[in-house]
Amino acid sequence: MSMPTPEERPGEAFTEAVAEAVQSSVMAFRLVMATADAVRRRQQKRAGKEDELPDAEKSAAEASEEVRKFLPDDIAAALLEGADWPQLAQQLMALKRAGVDLETMLPRVGEITVTVRDQVVANAEKVRREGTEEWAKALRETLPAGPVREAILSSPAWPEMARTMATLNERGVDVRAILASAHEEGVGVDQAVALVLATAEAPTPSRDATLSYGPLTVGLDIPKDLDLGDRERALRQLSVAPSENQRFARMVREAMPGAEREADLLVTARQWPLVAARMADMESKGRPVAEHLAGLSKDTSWQQGPQSQRGRRLVEAADDALRRPVGTAPAPAGPGPGPRVSTAAARSTSPSVGPARASGKGAAPATPGVAAHREAGPAARSGRRR
């Protein structure tokens, strides 16, 4: 496994990852040497001929040549600069004196250290790639859609915030509880700033938010100012991380073998972010997204109709496949070319019906920037009350 090049990685983060990787390889070297030395001692002790360790200074000089010859420069340098190098050198020379061929052994140990080094770098890269995705999911599950959540995800400091969340989580801190409390503080800040700017009135739903009410949004957390015209922002508003979006697009293409053009029509459709949000919501609940998507190949009714409207039909078919239990037949299409009617969504947007109430709970608190027919998740209400 080759190490990532500095051009492929951020400078400071790459340097830190490499330093940690080299130190890990040194630890692996120490472990192998300690094991080999323990075996040497036991064998000699059983024969009643256990040798004392050779002179430290002489061993260090002789062993350094062997290490530089058979180990990568970065690992060799870290070994020779370590405080315990004299002891490691004594172990090496004791092994040589006991009959071990270092020219055969050290290259094999070198392979072990290189493997460890590259694994640590690769793991650091994986954490860097997926770390923000994990905490974007946590935001989606903990905070309602709105200005606070979007402000977090759009902040230049978001990667660092995600790393901080990961560190706190590793130390046993309930990060979701902190997020819930931070959300309430954020709402307070949003309201205070809005008052100063004389824009504290409730925002009017955007055209995209209004037109999207229906099957595509039932059960999802949709912000009132949803902007499907700006895909990057729409995905951010819906808490779908870029890496998640790429993975979901790949899942669609894999679910539609031989229909690559149609899969691309779905992924590039204006309302794709809503489909991606549905997939993310399903994953967070442990539901088999890929099995649901397979329905797109089994039921191809989306092929019927004008070619110019195929992208819209694919969006509706994908949403239907995701919400329908695996293996069941699709719901019959309603008359005419318009979208299917959702009674749940119709009730939620009716001016004569109040906000939905969770079973056994009071009405969901009104949250600025959250669509009227959406409820904030219970975790968002678990923080400190004002």
Side-chain angles (χ1 to χ4, degrees):
M1 181 185 299
S2 61
M3 290 183 62
T5 64
E7 290 76 16
E8 297 172 330
R9 306 290 180 255
E12 183 177 348
F14 173 78
T15 301
E16 292 176 357
V18 169
E20 180 180 351
V22 171
Q23 288 304 314
S24 298
S25 66
V26 168
M27 293 171 64
F29 184 92
R30 291 175 183 144
L31 179 60
V32 174
M33 286 299 102
T35 301
D37 189 62
V39 172
R40 175 192 66 80
R41 287 176 180 275
R42 181 176 182 276
Q43 187 76 343
Q44 290 180 336
K45 187 174 182 179
R46 290 176 62 183
K49 298 179 180 179
E50 183 177 358
D51 290 338
E52 294 294 329
L53 289 174
D55 179 74
E57 185 176 348
K58 184 178 179 181
S59 295
E62 186 176 350
S64 63
E65 296 180 8
E66 302 280 357
V67 165
R68 288 194 181 97
K69 186 189 305 181
F70 296 110
L71 269 63
D73 292 342
D74 54 350
I75 298 174
L79 278 169
L80 299 180
E81 293 170 4
D84 61 344
W85 168 241
Q87 289 75 32
L88 287 173
Q90 285 179 302
Q91 290 177 348
L92 273 172
M93 291 301 99
L95 287 169
K96 183 176 181 179
R97 192 166 62 184
V100 175
D101 184 356
L102 295 184
E103 293 193 2
T104 300
M105 177 184 182
L106 282 177
R108 292 199 298 263
V109 178
E111 290 180 7
I112 295 172
T113 61
V114 168
T115 299
V116 170
R117 180 194 66 189
D118 292 350
Q119 284 178 343
V120 172
V121 170
N123 184 64
E125 282 300 302
K126 182 174 182 291
V127 170
R128 188 183 67 82
R129 283 195 311 271
E130 300 180 358
T132 57
E133 178 177 319
E134 175 186 354
W135 294 106
K137 287 182 181 179
L139 285 176
R140 178 172 58 244
E141 296 165 2
T142 307
L143 308 186
V148 176
R149 192 171 78 183
E150 186 180 354
I152 294 172
L153 292 172
S154 62
S155 170
W158 164 240
E160 182 59 35
M161 295 166 73
R163 284 193 291 271
T164 299
M165 293 178 198
T167 300
L168 291 173
N169 182 66
E170 290 171 358
R171 295 177 181 178
V173 176
D174 187 348
V175 176
R176 291 173 185 265
I178 295 177
L179 287 175
S181 297
H183 175 261
E184 292 199 2
E185 296 299 331
V187 169
V189 170
D190 181 68
Q191 292 173 340
V193 174
L195 285 171
V196 171
L197 298 175
T199 58
E201 64 274 7
T204 302
S206 67
R207 175 178 172 80
D208 282 328
T210 301
L211 294 178
S212 297
Y213 288 166
L216 284 176
T217 60
V218 168
L220 296 180
D221 198 11
I222 307 298
K224 278 191 172 182
D225 59 345
L226 179 65
D227 181 10
L228 295 175
D230 183 341
R231 171 159 294 199
E232 183 178 342
R233 186 188 178 208
L235 290 168
R236 191 167 63 238
Q237 286 180 305
L238 297 167
S239 295
V240 178
S243 54
E244 283 184 303
N245 181 54
Q246 294 170 7
R247 181 162 52 81
F248 293 152
R250 186 168 60 252
M251 291 172 68
V252 166
R253 295 186 176 98
E254 291 172 351
M256 301 176 69
E260 290 77 12
R261 183 174 180 276
E262 287 75 11
D264 287 340
L265 278 176
L266 171 55
V267 172
T268 58
R270 180 182 177 89
Q271 291 179 307
W272 163 256
L274 294 171
V275 178
R278 175 79 62 195
M279 295 167 74
D281 181 66
M282 292 175 66
E283 277 197 342
S284 70
K285 297 173 182 175
R287 295 173 60 189
V289 174
E291 293 181 25
H292 282 266
L293 287 175
L296 288 171
S297 292
K298 296 175 182 177
D299 171 40
T300 57
S301 58
W302 46 265
Q303 294 178 349
Q304 303 168 10
Q307 176 68 29
S308 61
Q309 297 179 16
R310 180 164 291 185
R312 177 179 63 79
R313 293 198 303 273
L314 278 163
V315 168
E316 293 176 1
D319 182 69
D320 181 64
L322 290 169
R323 292 190 297 115
R324 179 171 21 98
V326 174
T328 60
R340 298 182 300 278
V341 175
S342 166
T343 55
R347 285 196 301 271
S348 69
T349 56
S350 170
S352 62
V353 181
R357 290 176 180 270
S359 175
K361 297 182 180 180
T367 306
V370 181
H373 70 291
R374 307 290 178 241
E375 283 188 273
R381 298 195 297 270
S382 64
R384 186 173 65 257
R385 294 290 183 189
R386 291 186 174 278

